[in-house]
Amino acid sequence: MMLGDPSSADDRNPRVGRATAFGDAAFDDGQNTPWTDEPLEPAAFDLAVYWRLALKHRILILGCFLGALAIGAALTLLMTPIYTATATLQIDRESARIVNSEDVTPRENMAMGEEFFQTQYGLLRSRSLAERVVESLGLASSDQALAALGVEPPAGGGSAAVQAERRRALALAAVQEGLGVTPVRGSRLVAVGFDNPDPVVAARVANAFAENFIQSNLDRKYESSSYAREFLEEQIAQTKGRLEEAERQLVAYAANQQIINVGSDEGVDGGGTQSLASNNLVALNASLASARAARVAAEEKWRSARTTSLMTLPEVLQNPSIQRLGEQRAQLDSEYQQKLSVYQEDYPEMVRLRAQITEIDGQIQALAANIRSSIQSQYVIAANQERSLQAQVNGLKGDVLDLRDRSIQYNILARELDTTRTLYESLLQRYKEIAVTGDVVANNISIVDSARPPSKPSKPDILINLALAALFGLGLGVIAALVLEALDETVATPDDVEKKLGVPVLGVVPLLDKGQTTAAALSDIRSGFSEAYYSLRTALQFSTPDGAPTSMLVSSARPAEGKSTTAYAVALNLARVGKRVLLIDGDLRNPSMHRVVGVENERGMSNLLSGSSDLQSVVQRTRQEKLFFIPCGPLPPNPAELWGSDRLGQFLAEARNSFDHVVVDGPPVLGFADSPLLAASVGGVLFVLESRGTRRGQARGALRRLKVGRAHLLGAVLTKFNAKTTSYGGYDYAYDYNYGAEGESAGKAKKGKKA
């Protein structure tokens, strides 16, 4: 997070400065705002993050890219050139029709076209076709033939038959491996290619595949026609015998039962001819069905009319007379209501209108009753008609059943005879068609272009290989960068602090140049180091509604992260703006602040907390006006007990009465109980992290300990940040902190040259 110059925001509009610098997450309403050490949720996809990651690991990615490119180029140059010869075939779904009859091979329709072509491609790649090619070209006849194919001959040993079988297996494997079948999209063409180091051999094998594929297709058709003729001859002989036997059985049964069929051969009462009783039964049964349906409808209508209110029947509501009377009644009622506002109910005109309305109501009731009576009459008539037809149907059943009993076996024999005769005629017709077309074999596959020896190799393609190698190298580099980034547990940038720890960044302190001391950098108020702490001071002024906390602890997860320098710089900058500041060396285990300030460490906090000294006796002045300092004092044997005593609270209360701010340089959090005890007593904690020095686990452990002590975390300060090697959000921290100082330095240099 980047903060502006303190003079631009800390004294003019703190509300605006707070919102601009920190946003809602860092705003403190004066109470202990809840904070979490859980990392913030990352965005779903941030292209800038991946771009910064690529820049960070650019050397690794570039190395993988160039290495893969070099290896790909070397392997490509060492490869044996491979030539590809291609023959083009046309495969039609149906062969040319020489005669108007069907052959015995299955036909493919448009819906099955894709399946048909996939079958043909599978036949082109089949092992049987490869064996025919090997046999036709003699590719397994000798070791010289195998060498011409680009295959190492088998090692010696074994009989001649064993050697021949080995050569055949090697040749077959080489032919199947070098074959390529490529359909031409949107057409019935297919390219049959073969790869081989010798262009002449490649062309020979490709043409052999095309020719043998056509020949094998013709052979399959001829074999299927021959098999069909033999099968049909056997079936015709068997069917003929069954047909003669069926005719004899039908004639004998008809003579025995005295059944004479004069209309059709389909049987008596079986669909060809029917008796009068059967016709009458069919007609009466149809009439009975209609009468039953009419009776059911009439019964349902009468049941509804009987149980429903008279005036709600559909027949009553739809009756034209009732509708007309209803309209008249509505008019009279409307007229009655209009005159009711003028006349009394016993007025003659009003009495007349009521009488007319009553008369119309009576007419409507009479018509509705007639309609209900009509519905009942319809039901009675329908029921009587159904009973009459049912009686007639029952009387005709006996006659029809007697005839059917005598015709069952006759109809069975007749149907068997018809079926056998139809089958015999179909087999005989099919046999004649195959006899005509069997010797005429048409082909649906033809060669469009024969293969020719290619003039240049098809493999290896150096451009494609280099492109694949480049993609592989780039992908390997990216994966390696992602793995390294995932394994990197250090906190390097402010973005890492906020995302990995969930803590707002109040300041970023740049790494000092080699040979530059902390004191010199802080004494130069225009240096980038000082500007960073100015920004931190501004952030602290906006950390609470009342400004910077009156008491704060500066701590870190581990030693040597810059917490003492940060504590001193924060106190120094607060004093520079006119605040009375008390700086305390709170590290009672390894004190160092007295050397930074330049005072003696004879008496200090250990004496104050143990009760042997008071506040006035241990406070020392510093070179900076309004900045006072309390050193550590003699090292106590029990620092944690001193910090946990009641004297700490009394001391802080007394110090807040005499000073505007109290800044405590505390010990590291991990491994000691001092910092959590201090954090619970002060108004806020400033957590210091070393860029690329503090691991995420260490920082989260320290934050968790502070959280258990109910510390009020103000934010984090990232120290020793190298802006030259780290790009954060596309913003150069070093340039920002040195803005103005560089121009002044350049101006001094020009004046020196002129002088």
Side-chain angles (χ1 to χ4, degrees):
M1 182 173 296
M2 196 57 212
L3 304 176
D5 187 87
S7 62
S8 62
D10 56 296
D11 296 326
R12 288 181 290 180
N13 194 346
R15 296 290 294 179
V16 175
R18 184 182 300 118
T20 304
F22 310 108
D24 296 337
F27 179 72
D28 193 329
D29 58 359
Q31 301 177 357
N32 286 346
T33 304
W35 58 276
T36 175
D37 61 344
E38 296 298 327
L40 300 178
E41 289 294 334
F45 180 78
D46 190 352
L47 186 61
V49 173
Y50 292 100
W51 175 247
R52 291 195 296 272
L53 178 63
L55 292 179
K56 177 180 177 182
H57 299 282
R58 58 186 178 275
I59 297 178
L60 174 62
I61 296 175
L62 184 61
C64 293
F65 175 78
L66 295 178
L69 204 61
I71 294 174
L75 292 178
T76 301
L77 295 176
L78 293 175
M79 289 181 180
T80 303
I82 301 297
Y83 295 85
T84 302
T86 304
T88 304
L89 298 178
Q90 178 179 340
I91 303 177
D92 297 322
R93 277 191 291 269
E94 293 184 356
S95 59
R97 300 291 296 274
I98 299 177
V99 294
N100 189 19
S101 62
E102 297 182 355
D103 55 21
V104 295
T105 57
R107 299 258 175 211
E108 307 295 338
N109 54 27
M110 292 297 293
M112 300 174 63
E114 183 63 24
E115 179 183 350
F116 168 77
F117 284 113
Q118 292 298 328
T119 302
Q120 299 302 312
Y121 305 150
L123 292 175
L124 276 168
R125 301 184 184 98
S126 64
R127 182 174 177 273
S128 60
L129 182 60
E131 290 176 346
R132 292 185 63 146
V133 172
V134 171
E135 294 296 331
S136 63
L137 296 180
L139 298 178
S141 58
S142 63
D143 292 346
Q144 290 76 13
L146 284 179
L149 194 59
V151 179
E152 281 289 331
S159 61
V162 173
Q163 285 292 97
E165 184 61 28
R166 290 177 181 173
R167 287 195 299 269
R168 187 170 180 275
L170 290 174
L172 182 62
V175 167
Q176 287 184 305
E177 182 181 357
L179 176 66
V181 179
T182 307
V184 179
R185 186 177 181 84
S187 69
R188 291 175 291 177
L189 301 179
V190 57
V192 180
F194 188 77
D195 299 336
N196 194 265
D198 189 343
V200 177
V201 173
R204 286 180 57 206
V205 176
N207 288 327
F209 264 103
E211 294 168 359
N212 281 276
F213 181 60
I214 294 175
Q215 187 60 43
S216 65
N217 183 57
L218 295 175
D219 292 345
R220 284 195 304 273
K221 289 188 175 183
Y222 180 79
E223 290 172 0
S224 62
S225 298
S226 176
Y227 172 78
R229 285 197 298 270
E230 295 176 0
F231 175 78
L232 287 176
E233 288 176 356
E234 180 181 354
Q235 293 297 318
I236 287 173
Q238 295 177 2
T239 307
K240 183 178 180 182
R242 291 200 302 269
L243 178 61
E244 294 174 353
E245 180 63 23
E247 288 179 344
R248 284 193 292 269
Q249 290 179 0
L250 180 63
V251 172
Y253 184 80
N256 186 29
Q257 295 294 328
Q258 295 184 353
I259 297 175
I260 301 175
N261 187 9
V262 296
S264 174
D265 293 334
E266 295 184 7
V268 177
D269 204 24
T273 59
Q274 292 185 353
S275 64
L276 181 60
S278 298
N279 289 332
N280 291 338
L281 180 60
V282 171
L284 286 175
N285 192 57
S287 300
L288 176 60
S290 300
R292 183 176 289 111
R295 190 265 306 165
V296 170
E299 183 180 4
E300 182 63 28
K301 186 182 295 185
W302 166 239
R303 184 182 293 110
S304 176
R306 186 175 54 189
T307 59
T308 307
S309 176
L310 183 63
M311 296 308 298
T312 60
L313 292 175
E315 291 80 1
V316 173
L317 296 176
Q318 297 173 2
N319 187 272
S321 299
I322 293 177
Q323 291 177 353
R324 186 168 53 257
L325 290 173
E327 293 175 357
Q328 293 176 6
R329 187 190 184 285
Q331 292 176 358
L332 291 174
D333 186 64
S334 176
E335 184 179 354
Y336 180 82
Q337 294 297 331
Q338 290 177 358
K339 292 182 178 182
L340 185 62
S341 60
V342 179
Y343 304 108
Q344 296 293 329
E345 292 184 357
D346 55 355
Y347 190 73
E349 180 66 21
M350 301 299 290
V351 172
R352 182 184 62 80
L353 289 175
R354 280 202 307 272
Q356 291 179 356
I357 292 174
T358 302
E359 182 181 357
I360 291 177
D361 289 340
Q363 293 177 4
I364 291 175
Q365 290 293 330
L367 287 175
N370 292 336
I371 291 174
R372 177 183 285 178
S373 299
S374 174
I375 294 174
Q376 183 180 8
S377 300
Q378 292 176 2
Y379 164 65
V380 172
I381 293 172
N384 293 335
Q385 186 178 5
E386 180 188 7
R387 285 193 293 271
S388 176
L389 290 174
Q390 184 66 52
Q392 296 182 35
V393 168
N394 292 336
L396 288 174
K397 284 183 180 179
D399 298 339
V400 175
L401 291 176
D402 179 64
L403 177 62
R404 293 207 170 185
D405 288 340
R406 292 185 289 110
S407 302
I408 290 175
Q409 186 62 29
Y410 181 85
N411 292 332
I412 293 173
L413 295 175
R415 281 194 296 271
E416 183 178 356
L417 175 62
D418 293 339
T419 302
T420 307
R421 182 183 294 114
T422 302
L423 178 60
Y424 178 75
E425 292 174 352
S426 300
L427 291 173
L428 190 60
Q429 178 66 25
R430 186 62 175 155
Y431 180 79
K432 292 178 180 179
E433 292 175 355
I434 293 177
V436 174
T437 61
D439 297 331
V440 182
V441 181
N443 190 25
N444 63 324
I445 304 173
S446 59
I447 298 177
V448 178
D449 290 324
S450 298
R452 294 184 179 181
S455 58
K456 58 181 180 179
S458 59
K459 300 176 185 178
D461 191 329
I462 188 169
L463 294 179
I464 294 179
N465 288 355
L466 290 180
L468 292 176
L471 288 176
F472 174 78
L474 190 62
L476 182 63
V478 170
I479 292 174
L482 291 175
V483 171
L484 290 178
E485 189 68 18
L487 297 176
D488 185 10
E489 287 289 318
T490 61
V491 179
T493 65
D495 198 29
D496 290 343
V497 177
E498 295 182 352
K499 288 185 177 180
K500 295 180 179 180
L501 304 180
V503 177
V505 178
L506 301 183
V508 179
V509 180
L511 179 67
L512 291 177
D513 295 335
K514 190 174 183 181
Q516 188 179 12
T517 63
T518 302
L522 288 175
S523 63
D524 184 6
I525 62 174
R526 300 302 301 274
S527 66
F529 196 73
S530 296
E531 289 288 347
Y533 282 112
Y534 293 157
S535 297
L536 175 59
R537 181 196 65 194
T538 304
L540 290 173
Q541 290 177 347
F542 296 144
S543 60
T544 67
D546 299 326
T550 56
S551 60
M552 70 181 77
L553 169 69
V554 180
S555 184
S556 62
R558 58 185 186 86
E561 293 194 62
K563 62 177 179 58
S564 298
T565 302
T566 301
Y568 176 70
V570 168
L572 181 64
N573 282 293
L574 288 173
R576 284 176 176 174
V577 295
K579 303 291 185 179
R580 287 177 56 84
V581 183
L582 176 62
L583 175 61
I584 300 173
D585 189 351
D587 192 347
L588 303 184
R589 301 176 186 271
N590 184 23
S592 61
M593 184 62 73
H594 62 281
R595 290 190 291 271
V596 176
V597 180
V599 300
E600 296 297 329
N601 190 29
E602 296 179 356
R603 299 174 63 84
M605 283 300 298
S606 60
N607 305 101
L608 183 63
L609 294 176
S610 63
S612 61
S613 300
D614 56 6
L615 178 62
Q616 289 75 16
S617 62
V618 296
V619 173
Q620 302 184 34
R621 290 183 175 273
T622 64
R623 292 186 296 269
Q624 176 64 39
E625 185 181 359
K626 295 190 177 183
L627 176 61
F628 301 88
F629 175 63
I630 299 179
C632 167
L635 297 181
N638 52 353
E641 294 181 6
L642 293 179
W643 289 122
S645 65
D646 296 336
R647 288 285 299 167
L648 177 60
Q650 298 172 5
F651 157 71
L652 290 176
E654 184 180 357
R656 281 194 289 265
N657 293 330
S658 303
F659 300 94
D660 296 323
H661 300 284
V662 178
V663 180
V664 182
D665 175 24
V669 178
L670 296 179
F672 307 106
D674 303 15
S675 286
L677 292 172
L678 270 168
S681 302
V682 298
V685 178
L686 192 61
F687 192 68
V688 178
L689 297 163
E690 180 185 352
S691 176
R692 298 191 180 279
T694 306
R695 302 182 66 83
R696 178 174 59 179
Q698 295 173 337
R700 294 184 68 179
L703 291 171
R704 193 174 294 110
R705 293 198 65 189
L706 293 175
K707 182 179 180 181
V708 170
R710 296 186 177 180
H712 177 204
L713 184 67
L714 301 174
V717 178
L718 189 65
T719 61
K720 303 178 185 180
F721 179 73
N722 190 351
K724 296 180 180 178
T725 60
T726 305
S727 175
Y728 169 60
Y731 200 86
D732 192 344
Y733 278 89
Y735 176 82
D736 179 67
Y737 287 142
N738 291 315
Y739 177 74
E742 294 180 355
E744 183 179 352
S745 300
K748 291 181 179 179
K750 290 182 179 180
K751 290 180 180 179
K753 289 181 180 180
K754 291 181 179 180

